[in-house]
Amino acid sequence: MRIAVIGAGLSGLSAALMLREACHNVTIFTHGIGGLPLSNGTLDVLGYRALSGNNAKDLASDDPFASFTELPNTHPYQVIGADNAREGVNWLAEKTGLFEIHGENRLLPSPLGVARPTLGVPKNAAAGILTEGGKYLVVGLRQFKDFPAPLIAANLNRSDVVKVEARAVVLDLPGRAREADTLATDYARHFDGLTSATAGGSAGAAKATGATAGATLRKQFAELINRAVKPGEVVLIPAIMGLQAETFLDFATRVQAPIAEVPTIPASIFGQRTYNALIEACREARIDIRLNCSVRPYRRGRAKVENIYQNGPSPMVNDEVRELVVARAGGTDRVKVDAVIDAAGGFASGNLARDSHLAFHETIFDLPLRPGTAFTSRGSTAALHEIDFEQRTELERTLSTGIAVDSAMRPLDAAGNPVFTNVFCLGEMLGGAHPWLELSGEGIALGSAVAAVKAIAALKGEKI
């Protein structure tokens, strides 16, 4: 089958790879590179129960899949199902080799030191799983401003979820030359040894020089940590230790204590590693990825399309999309498709928008949207001013507005009927969830991808 995937985020890339594994002809159309490089880099399925506030007593059960039954009927997990979500998470862990799946939630320090529950733990963060009575040394770098080590340690010490002891130290480790403010990607490249070639030198010599410089920087950082760490402490460093897996492995052998990376504020290297792994897998699978695309269904009734194609026959037959109009810098193409995966995202990507009349719209297929709900309760926001409370409530309603789908991930109209029988909506665009509060984003993205791929197989009468 010829399948178009719109969007290059976690759900789009994952669905494309799953479909390619099933021998479909897959093309990804995307405006940009997707939001993965901005993500936290963990695999969140369900960290908090919905609609009761985000605090210790609202932690989901150790097995987040078991908590799906506690969610509202409008939550996407009610149609995705625990089996599909579990299958999707396990698929990504196996595909990338970057995660440990423990079968139950684990607590990791967030970029600001909050004990954050997640199911899929990045392997480089595994030693930093927060345990009752644990002792931690939070290591910051003077040249890296996106990892406030003293604040992280202070927040860990006051956590009401898990009792730990944490202290902070800020070390002096220039990322390159005398630079006073170095980015995470700059540190990562230098720890990897990916330095630019010197003028007049060969590529091989530059690569060898870079590798030596990377090893030297890793050794220098490890020696600074070894002088600061105390017996029994776990070392927490910012997630800057390279984009290549062997970089952290080499560095960990040099440190005389258990060591783990902690996600930084966006953009996080954890998210970049996941993105790189999926993009490389797409290249190996020969999936065509077309950037800078604007996608629309080809319809008879749109003036601009009529002017270009002289009122050609409508591809909408029996509520199916059979052709897409793809606009790029070089022109406009008509692409024939058998099915469409719509993983274009939500409000952050601009796929869901609000116009000047305060009406919500889905911008590609003009799909009907289901109104969102508020997560906030009076009990958890008693200190908020009335205006602040109303604004927060309205924001939560807005961000949980999205597409309603059936168990095949097909978009539904107000009567509960599929709008198109061969369009499948995934990930952030699905309505009824509060992934930023309940920590469910990756589970929804991956679970919806699995459900859609199974539904596409059913179109051909196959089972995968």
Side-chain angles (χ1 to χ4, degrees), residues 70-140:
E70 304 174 21
L71 297 172
N73 292 333
T74 55
H75 197 284
Y77 275 148
Q78 300 295 7
V79 290
I80 291 172
D83 289 343
N84 286 335
R86 184 182 289 105
E87 184 177 337
V89 169
N90 291 335
W91 175 89
L92 185 70
E94 181 179 352
K95 192 70 177 180
T96 65
L98 295 175
F99 302 94
E100 294 182 359
I101 308 298
H102 293 270
E104 56 187 22
N105 280 334
R106 292 288 190 266
L107 294 174
L108 290 178
S110 77
L112 294 179
V114 176
R116 188 178 185 278
T118 189
L119 182 72
V121 177
K123 290 183 177 179
N124 290 8
I129 292 174
L130 300 175
T131 57
E132 198 74 20
K135 296 181 180 181
Y136 301 88
L137 173 65
V138 185
V139 177

Side-chain angles (χ1 to χ4, degrees), residues 35-389:
L36 259 178
L38 298 176
S39 72
N40 196 59
T42 54
L43 292 185
D44 301 335
V45 173
L46 186 64
Y48 297 96
R49 294 186 177 93
L51 304 178
S52 58
N54 188 352
N55 52 54
K57 71 177 184 298
D58 298 315
L59 283 170
S61 62
D62 290 338
D63 179 2
F65 302 106
S67 293
F68 283 15
T69 57
E70 304 174 21
L71 297 172
N73 292 333
T74 55
H75 197 284
Y77 275 148
Q78 300 295 7
V79 290
I80 291 172
D83 289 343
N84 286 335
R86 184 182 289 105
E87 184 177 337
V89 169
N90 291 335
W91 175 89
L92 185 70
E94 181 179 352
K95 192 70 177 180
T96 65
L98 295 175
F99 302 94
E100 294 182 359
I101 308 298
H102 293 270
E104 56 187 22
N105 280 334
R106 292 288 190 266
L107 294 174
L108 290 178
S110 77
L112 294 179
V114 176
R116 188 178 185 278
T118 189
L119 182 72
V121 177
K123 290 183 177 179
N124 290 8
I129 292 174
L130 300 175
T131 57
E132 198 74 20
K135 296 181 180 181
Y136 301 88
L137 173 65
V138 185
V139 177
L141 298 175
R142 185 171 62 83
Q143 293 84 359
F144 185 55
K145 306 302 191 296
D146 292 341
F147 192 75
L151 175 63
I152 292 172
N155 285 339
L156 288 175
N157 285 328
R158 66 168 63 101
S159 174
D160 56 359
V161 177
V162 59
K163 299 300 180 184
V164 300
E165 295 181 24
R167 65 185 184 93
V169 61
V170 179
L171 304 177
D172 189 0
L173 185 74
R176 53 186 181 184
R178 298 179 179 178
E179 194 171 57
D181 190 357
T182 305
L183 300 176
T185 50
D186 293 329
Y187 268 117
R189 288 177 59 83
H190 280 267
F191 280 123
D192 280 334
L194 301 176
T195 55
S196 58
T198 55
S202 67
K207 184 176 181 179
T209 301
T212 301
T216 300
L217 189 63
R218 296 195 296 270
K219 179 181 178 181
Q220 182 182 356
F221 192 19
E223 290 174 347
L224 291 173
I225 291 174
N226 290 336
R227 289 197 289 267
V229 68
K230 296 179 180 179
E233 289 182 324
V234 175
V235 178
L236 304 178
I237 64 170
I240 57 175
M241 192 48 62
L243 291 168
Q244 302 172 356
E246 56 269 22
T247 300
F248 180 84
L249 296 176
D250 173 77
F251 175 70
T253 63
R254 300 174 184 268
V255 179
Q256 300 169 1
I259 187 164
E261 289 184 306
V262 175
T264 63
I265 61 176
S268 172
I269 294 297
F270 276 134
Q272 184 67 52
R273 289 172 186 151
T274 303
Y275 176 77
N276 289 350
L278 291 176
I279 288 294
E280 182 60 29
C282 286
R283 289 172 178 160
E284 292 178 358
R286 298 184 180 277
I287 294 175
D288 187 10
I289 302 177
R290 304 184 187 181
L291 293 169
N292 301 318
C293 292
S294 176
V295 181
R296 295 288 186 274
Y298 173 51
R299 299 183 188 227
R300 179 190 297 271
R302 294 194 175 188
K304 292 183 179 179
V305 175
E306 290 175 356
N307 291 338
I308 295 174
Y309 299 112
Q310 290 80 41
N311 295 324
S314 172
M316 299 296 178
V317 180
N318 296 325
D319 297 320
E320 290 184 342
V321 175
R322 290 301 182 185
E323 264 184 290
L324 297 174
V325 176
V326 180
R328 304 176 71 186
T332 302
D333 299 320
R334 279 169 53 186
V335 178
K336 295 183 182 298
V337 296
D338 296 308
V340 178
I341 294 287
D342 188 354
F347 290 98
S349 68
N351 183 41
L352 302 184
R354 199 173 193 178
D355 62 22
S356 59
H357 300 283
L358 304 183
F360 294 106
H361 300 278
E362 190 272 333
T363 60
I364 297 176
F365 296 98
D366 196 24
L367 298 173
L369 299 182
R370 178 168 58 190
T373 57
F375 190 95
T376 304
S377 66
R378 278 293 184 187
S380 62
T381 57
L384 288 177
H385 187 276
E386 181 66 26
I387 295 178
D388 296 330
F389 178 85

